Amino acid sequence: MSLLEVEDLHVSFATPDGVLPAVRGVSFDVEPGETLGIVGESGSGKSVSTQTIVGLTRGARVSGQARFEGRDLLTTPASELRRIRGAQIGMIFQDPLSSLHPNYRVGWQIVEMIRAHESVSRKDARQRAVELLELVGIPTPAQRVRDYPHQFSGGMRQRVMIAMALALNPKLLIADEPTTALDVTVQAQIMTLIKSLQREFGTAVILITHDLGVIADVADRVVVMYAGKPLEYADKRTLYHQPHHPYTEGLINSLPQRGDRGSALRSIPGLPPSLLRMPPGCPFQPRCDYATDRCRSDEPPMRDVEGGQDHASACWLPPDAIGTDAQAVLRRRLASHDDGTVERETAVDSAASA
């Protein structure tokens, strides 16, 4: 049994303009000790999915299942969820300055979190707080434990958040954009720290990010999300070397490459759709180079893809149209035809079998 099994998760919010479907049919699982990356542009539903799992989306309409060690967190009472958060599921949020209380010393905040879950003396909890700060690389932790959040740099505040998340040795750590606000050097240090602590404690990690470069360094498996739903699942190696969905291809091609100095950055044309006014068919089709009439009318289901273990994609492209070479062939073939549906779909089928 997986440590966490999320099945057909739907999350929506009532707004003055109508019901906003923020998450639409998300399913994934996390094994003990592994790192699952969830990647996608802003607004794709990454954070809402994981925050809903631990009961942090108040007022949302939620359906589906999220079984943690066999127990459905979505039907667990709030009082029980409070005991699970922190003790068994740790959270690292994107902005540590807004997550840490500015009026309390960081040591006090770590101590209170520990004592909320364990019957230990304040002295023992404070000693553990010092040890945790040392573990995450805070210099002179016995002195810094008395400092306030504003006395730490951005990278150091994130280290404090990691210390708090790991204080009770949780089985699962959810890291929601933990390095977005940091410079590249500090970002690398934080990700190295998370990996080393994961190896030491055997913690499973869900890493939420828009940065495929970060995912490449740490993830074992990857979920690509867009417009509130998953578009592709794969292990890391398969995703980077044999992407199937055009959205995944676009994200990978957007990564800066060696030799790009002086040239324009590559990007996916267009913008993600409004979740209040979703286009018919595939949500990505208005931005897709391979869209056919079928894409514009029918939303594709998640289907297995050839060439990779546990590889699935929600795309009408043939299952064997994978990898950058196959996608390049598709683009050349489609470019040589007009916009007729039959000719475009014939080109796709021909390129896939080439």
Side-chain angles (χ1 to χ4, degrees):
M1 182 176 64
S2 300
L3 178 66
L4 176 68
E5 297 173 318
V6 177
E7 184 176 343
D8 197 28
L9 177 65
H10 290 257
V11 185
S12 61
F13 298 90
T15 74
D17 296 321
V19 176
L20 189 150
V23 176
R24 305 182 300 126
V26 169
S27 300
F28 60 81
D29 58 80
V30 183
E31 303 298 329
E34 82 161 343
T35 298
L36 176 72
I38 303 180
V39 67
E41 292 171 288
S42 297
S44 61
K46 309 182 299 296
S47 297
V48 174
S49 298
T50 52
Q51 290 176 11
T52 299
I53 290 169
V54 292
L56 296 180
T57 49
R58 293 182 180 179
R61 302 174 186 176
V62 180
S63 64
Q65 292 184 319
R67 295 182 294 273
F68 180 72
E69 295 188 318
R71 181 177 187 175
D72 189 0
L73 298 177
L74 302 184
T75 59
T76 300
S79 58
E80 290 294 321
L81 273 179
R82 284 194 293 270
R83 284 193 280 269
I84 293 173
R85 288 195 302 262
Q88 299 184 57
I89 301 177
M91 297 282 295
I92 304 174
F93 294 101
Q94 179 174 348
D95 183 7
L97 189 58
S98 62
S99 301
L100 295 169
H101 200 295
N103 292 340
Y104 295 96
R105 303 176 194 271
V106 297
W108 184 92
Q109 297 184 57
I110 298 174
V111 166
E112 289 305 298
M113 196 276 294
I114 294 173
R115 298 188 74 210
H117 293 277
E118 293 185 0
S119 298
V120 296
S121 67
R122 186 169 294 277
K123 179 181 178 180
D124 290 342
R126 189 177 187 280
Q127 180 57 38
R128 191 187 303 181
V130 173
E131 293 171 354
L132 286 165
L133 292 182
E134 182 178 16
L135 180 68
V136 298
I138 301 292
T140 60
Q143 286 75 44
R144 299 307 304 271
V145 76
R146 297 193 293 268
D147 288 344
Y148 291 91
H150 72 271
Q151 295 176 280
F152 290 81
S153 67
M156 288 298 179
R157 283 194 294 265
Q158 196 61 282
R159 289 172 185 265
V160 172
M161 284 297 301
I162 294 172
M164 292 182 68
L166 295 174
L168 300 173
N169 193 18
K171 297 176 182 178
L172 174 64
L173 179 64
I174 299 175
D176 188 353
E177 300 274 12
T179 61
T180 297
L182 307 176
D183 63 60
V184 175
T185 302
V186 178
Q187 181 183 93
Q189 293 173 353
I190 294 297
M191 295 313 305
T192 299
L193 172 63
I194 291 175
K195 286 193 294 183
S196 64
L197 294 174
Q198 181 184 24
R199 287 193 298 267
E200 182 174 351
F201 295 105
T203 308
V205 175
I206 296 178
L207 176 62
I208 302 167
T209 182
H210 63 274
D211 190 342
L212 272 171
V214 172
I215 290 291
D217 289 336
V218 299
D220 298 305
R221 292 184 296 125
V222 185
V223 179
V224 179
M225 289 189 64
Y226 183 79
K229 67 172 293 182
L231 294 188
E232 189 158 7
Y233 296 100
D235 65 88
K236 177 178 64 177
R237 181 173 181 82
T238 299
L239 189 85
Y240 280 86
H241 292 278
Q242 297 178 307
H244 180 268
H245 202 284
Y247 179 58
T248 307
E249 178 199 11
L251 291 176
I252 294 173
N253 288 340
S254 297
L255 291 172
Q257 305 291 330
R258 287 184 180 180
D260 281 350
R261 177 178 293 183
S263 59
L265 292 175
R266 295 173 296 273
S267 63
I268 303 173
L271 296 172
S274 167
L275 296 177
L276 289 169
R277 294 176 293 275
M278 292 289 294
C282 174
F284 186 64
Q285 55 87 5
R287 308 171 70 187
C288 183
D289 290 338
Y290 316 117
T292 65
D293 283 353
R294 188 181 191 186
C295 303
R296 288 182 275 270
S297 60
D298 301 326
E299 188 166 11
M302 189 67 67
R303 302 184 298 169
D304 290 338
V305 176
E306 298 179 14
Q309 185 179 5
D310 297 326
H311 187 187
S313 171
C315 183
W316 289 122
L317 285 175
D320 57 349
I322 58 177
T324 54
D325 292 340
Q327 302 288 9
V329 171
L330 286 168
R331 177 169 287 147
R332 288 196 299 271
R333 294 287 182 88
L334 290 175
S336 65
H337 290 73
D338 62 20
D339 291 334
T341 301
V342 175
E343 289 181 327
R344 288 176 64 83
E345 292 185 343
T346 302
V348 170
D349 293 338
S350 300
S353 60

